[in-house]
Amino acid sequence: MSGKTIPFSARISVEDAEFISTLEFDGARTPSEKLRGLLAETRRQQGSCEDYAQNLSQAQELFGKMKHQLLVRQQSLNYLPDATLRVLDTLPDLFASLQTLTARSANLSTQELQAADADMLDKIFYLNALLLPLAITSQYAADKKQKTAFDLATLLHEYKQNHMEKKHE
């Protein structure tokens, strides 16, 4: 990107001006500096990146802000919802994996796409393993939700039993 700048004029609402004044970017103090920071951040987010580490950093930053806000509120209420925190801890990896896969997809073979699909299922199974126990044991779980969780567990158990029997035949 060029270091050269050009003047740019725009009319924005009072709310948008207040929003820009509250933004914090490293070293940005003036509205112009904050607008340049906002544009750079947007450009970075819009770019397709094939680098998982960079995508993970962005996702951790995004979901980390959400988690921070939630934890602060939870602290003030002395409340700790396990499910929400587990999802927020797991989503950065899932999101970064999807973002990386999407950026690389044009160059992937069928076999590589199948492997990526299997990896995605592993990540979702991991998330389910974190959440399903809460669906069954949570004091807030409704009977219908618990039945759904038990039905899923039964389905998985039956599949495993049938799959194991076929392997031994």
Side-chain angles (χ1 to χ4, degrees), residues 145-161:
K145 290 178 186 173
Q146 285 179 329
K147 181 182 179 332
T148 302
F150 281 118
D151 288 347
L152 180 57
T154 301
L155 181 66
L156 291 171
H157 178 72
E158 288 172 359
Y159 174 81
K160 183 177 178 183
Q161 291 291 67

Side-chain angles (χ1 to χ4, degrees), residues 8-46:
F8 181 82
S9 176
R11 294 191 181 275
I12 60 173
S13 68
V14 172
E15 293 83 14
D16 288 342
E18 289 172 357
F19 173 73
I20 289 175
S21 71
T22 63
L23 287 177
E24 294 183 21
F25 291 104
D26 290 336
R29 296 194 188 343
T30 68
S32 291
E33 291 170 340
K34 291 179 179 189
L35 184 56
R36 284 192 292 274
L38 186 60
L39 289 170
E41 178 68 21
T42 302
R43 185 179 294 113
R44 185 176 63 90
Q45 289 175 357
Q46 293 294 320

Side-chain angles (χ1 to χ4, degrees), residues 97-98 101 108-123:
S97 296
L98 284 169
L101 174 62
L108 297 179
S109 67
T110 302
Q111 189 174 14
E112 290 169 321
L113 285 170
Q114 288 171 338
D117 219 23
D119 184 50
M120 204 54 58
L121 278 175
D122 286 344
K123 292 174 187 302

